[in-house]
Amino acid sequence: MIVFDNLTTMIQTQKTAAWKEVAQGIAHEIKNPLTPIQLSAERLQRKYAGEITSDKGTFDTCTDTIIRQVEDIGRLIDEFSSFAQMPQPHLKPINLSELCRQIGFLEQNRFPEIQYELNLPKNDVTLRCDRQQIGQVLTNLLMNAAESISSRPSTNLENIAIGCIYLELEIDTTSVVLNIVDNGIGLPSGLLDRITEPYVTGRDKGTGLGLAITNKIMEDHNGELILRNNDDMGATATLVFKTTDGSS
């Protein structure tokens, strides 16, 4: 008798563990010098801003740039740290409908130029999950959708509709399904089969960790993340939470 084991899950687990070690190392090595750099730039501003008269504009611009770029790098390091130290979810019943409203409201304020449409059931949808982690999933996907819309070529904006993100929550006897649809530039077709792997990204400044973290959270919730490009424009991210085990 010959037994063939499916090694896909084991290999993926090993790859994720290896990437976590890399992320942890990168976060540690880069984060150490960031604080003194930022503190030095802020000290220069406080001490010399009032004394410089020859070219104060350049001084202010340069120190502001240093501080802003350090903060941007810090946010990237936070992504590395989040991926390297992903905690186990603490499952509690939450109102998923209300969470969608809250996250949608925050993202609408972050990107006021984009139209957000929420289609939620009249009754509350209760899901047993980690509120903070699922909130992070929704934020990651909505931010990706907004950035996809913002990346549309400006020369063609007059020929396409206003940027729109549509969030729909559905529930049936076996699952809770959440769709996030945008009319942005879509996902890179050549990367669709591995877009959720760590450090795989189609963006010039992307870390390739946002979708990896999102996918890991969904796996920890016994759920599924499905990404696809729309037929006409943009992409759809679908979150599927199985509820046959009584988790909702």
Side-chain angles (χ1 to χ4, degrees):
M1 181 178 66
I2 302 176
V3 179
F4 295 94
D5 291 331
N6 186 352
L7 301 180
T8 303
T9 301
M10 184 178 68
I11 292 174
Q12 184 60 43
T13 300
Q14 292 174 343
K15 287 173 63 177
T16 300
W19 280 122
K20 283 187 176 183
E21 289 186 14
V22 172
Q24 192 170 18
I26 291 174
H28 177 74
E29 293 298 326
I30 296 179
K31 194 169 187 177
N32 284 342
L34 285 184
T35 299
I37 291 173
Q38 183 169 357
L39 291 176
S40 297
E42 291 173 347
R43 179 173 174 78
L44 287 173
Q45 278 188 332
R46 290 194 304 269
K47 187 172 180 62
Y48 298 107
E51 300 179 15
I52 294 178
T53 57
S54 60
D55 196 356
K56 188 175 185 303
T58 300
F59 175 82
D60 290 340
T61 299
C62 290
T63 51
D64 286 341
T65 299
I66 293 172
I67 294 171
R68 186 173 60 253
Q69 293 298 323
V70 167
E71 289 174 347
D72 289 343
I73 295 173
R75 283 191 286 271
L76 295 179
I77 295 305
D78 288 341
E79 285 195 28
F80 283 108
S81 297
S82 295
F83 179 68
Q85 302 173 11
M86 186 70 67
Q88 288 298 314
H90 298 286
L91 305 181
K92 295 181 180 180
I94 71 156
N95 185 346
L96 187 59
S97 299
E98 182 60 27
L99 182 61
C100 289
R101 291 189 191 96
Q102 292 175 356
I103 301 296
F105 176 79
L106 293 174
E107 294 306 306
Q108 175 71 85
N109 284 295
R110 193 199 304 265
F111 299 98
E113 71 281 6
I114 295 176
Q115 178 180 337
Y116 287 75
E117 298 182 11
L118 274 61
N119 183 15
L120 305 174
K122 293 182 179 180
N123 297 325
D124 293 341
V125 176
T126 301
L127 182 72
R128 186 171 174 81
C129 64
D130 186 306
R131 182 184 181 86
Q132 181 176 356
Q133 291 188 10
I134 297 305
Q136 182 178 3
V137 165
L138 293 175
T139 299
N140 286 351
L141 294 178
L142 287 171
M143 286 188 65
N144 281 355
E147 291 172 1
S148 178
I149 291 172
S150 300
S151 298
R152 298 186 303 191
S154 58
T155 54
N156 297 326
L157 286 180
E158 65 273 13
N159 299 321
I160 58 179
I162 186 174
C164 182
I165 296 176
Y166 179 75
L167 188 151
E168 179 183 44
L169 181 60
E170 300 175 329
I171 184 170
D172 58 30
T173 57
T174 61
S175 62
V176 172
V177 179
L178 198 154
N179 292 304
I180 297 174
V181 186
D182 67 73
N183 61 348
I185 60 173
L187 298 165
S189 56
L191 298 177
L192 267 178
D193 59 337
R194 58 190 191 95
I195 195 69
T196 59
E197 293 182 10
Y199 308 112
V200 175
T201 179
R203 297 193 180 94
D204 293 336
K205 297 183 179 181
T207 62
L209 289 176
L211 288 177
I213 292 172
T214 298
N215 190 57
K216 180 64 168 60
I217 291 174
M218 290 302 295
E219 288 179 349
D220 289 345
H221 282 76
N222 194 31
E224 184 179 8
L225 169 65
I226 303 170
L227 300 169
R228 64 183 183 277
N229 283 320
N230 303 329
D231 293 335
D232 49 356
M233 180 185 298
T236 297
T238 300
L239 302 174
V240 182
F241 300 92
K242 301 178 180 64
T243 61
T244 53
D245 59 352
S247 61
S248 74

